[in-house]
Amino acid sequence: MASVATPKKAEAFFTGNCVFAAGAPTPESLPAEHFPEIAFIGRSNVGKSSLVNAITGKNMLARVSNTPGRTQQLNFFRLGDRMMLVDMPGYGYAKASKDAIYDWNLLIDAYLKDRGTLKRLCLLIDARHGIKENDREFMHKLHVYAVPFVTIITKTDKIKKTELAAVKAAVENEIKKIGPAWPTAFLTSSEKGIGIDEVRLFLAQYVE
């Protein structure tokens, strides 16, 4: 299988054929494991769906909403029969019942613990807020489950460059203490296209 580990090849792959493959609202409904999977998660309204859309170059692929808690299942998108992108429910504040949030947490835990095809989880952090306590709780979960993750700082166009440098330094200072974490955080803006090529190239190493 041809490698996609160059910027141009990575862009061509991620912006190529990409379709919605499955939605899993419960652990029992998770699709069969066929392709390497890259999952995206973060606090509610951190920009997960926007980032998936930016990476694939398809504005309407993942549903974007200003309402926290809109993603209520694991959404699987198949990339060229070689990879799956997984848009996960956000954690933290959401306009949903306690029962619904409890069910999402069960689903997320089941996926993280038992998914053999999960190659890398992308943990999104809002540049305007930095790491919050619920991010730390989730990172601890990733450490316990030994899930390899990379940190992606979103919405970097919303703050000043001097503030952004401080946020990046603070984030990297925390993640370097977590065993399965990639030590460097990516800076992105889905709206401005900042950092998208770098994220694609990083994720391209998991294409089969």
Side-chain angles (χ1 to χ4, degrees):
M1 194 69 72
S3 171
V4 297
T6 67
K8 287 187 177 180
K9 288 183 178 179
E11 179 182 8
F13 172 75
F14 282 102
T15 60
N17 183 40
C18 185
V19 297
F20 177 76
T26 64
E28 295 75 22
S29 61
L30 287 168
E33 300 180 32
H34 291 304
F35 309 106
E37 295 172 4
I38 303 295
F40 298 81
I41 199 167
R43 291 195 306 274
S44 295
N45 213 29
V46 74
K48 292 183 288 83
S49 298
S50 294
L51 183 63
V52 171
N53 289 341
I55 289 172
T56 59
K58 297 170 177 59
N59 292 334
M60 300 303 293
L61 183 68
R63 185 175 183 179
V64 177
S65 173
N66 290 325
T67 303
R70 182 66 69 183
T71 303
Q72 300 184 9
Q73 60 183 5
L74 269 64
N75 291 318
F76 291 76
F77 301 95
R78 188 173 64 249
L79 268 168
D81 289 335
R82 296 176 67 185
M83 175 180 276
M84 286 280 198
L85 301 182
V86 187
D87 188 12
M88 303 179 70
Y91 52 82
Y93 171 79
K95 290 185 178 180
S97 68
K98 290 184 179 180
D99 287 344
I101 294 174
Y102 177 79
D103 289 341
W104 296 346
N105 287 332
L106 287 181
L107 172 63
I108 290 169
D109 281 6
Y111 179 74
L112 295 177
K113 287 190 293 185
D114 301 325
R115 197 70 175 177
T117 44
L118 175 59
K119 300 302 181 183
R120 180 72 65 170
L121 184 137
C122 297
L123 177 64
L124 278 57
I125 302 293
D126 192 319
R128 299 169 300 179
H129 309 302
I131 293 178
K132 297 295 187 182
E133 191 56 37
N134 47 12
D135 296 313
R136 295 185 180 96
E137 292 172 0
F138 192 79
M139 286 191 289
H140 176 71
K141 179 180 296 189
L142 296 176
H143 177 73
V144 171
Y145 295 158
V147 176
F149 71 95
V150 60
T151 308
I152 299 177
I153 301 174
T154 63
K155 305 184 182 183
T156 61
D157 58 308
K158 306 299 184 185
I159 64 173
K160 297 178 180 178
K161 288 185 178 180
T162 52
E163 294 173 342
L164 181 58
V167 169
K168 186 175 189 291
V171 167
E172 291 179 344
N173 184 56
E174 290 210 34
I175 62 177
K176 70 181 182 182
K177 303 171 186 176
I178 310 297
W182 187 259
T184 303
F186 286 90
L187 300 175
T188 68
S189 166
S190 299
E191 183 177 334
K192 303 294 185 181
I194 298 169
I196 301 303
D197 288 341
E198 289 80 4
V199 172
R200 287 175 181 146
L201 187 59
F202 177 84
L203 298 180
Q205 65 183 298
Y206 301 106
V207 177
E208 293 185 353

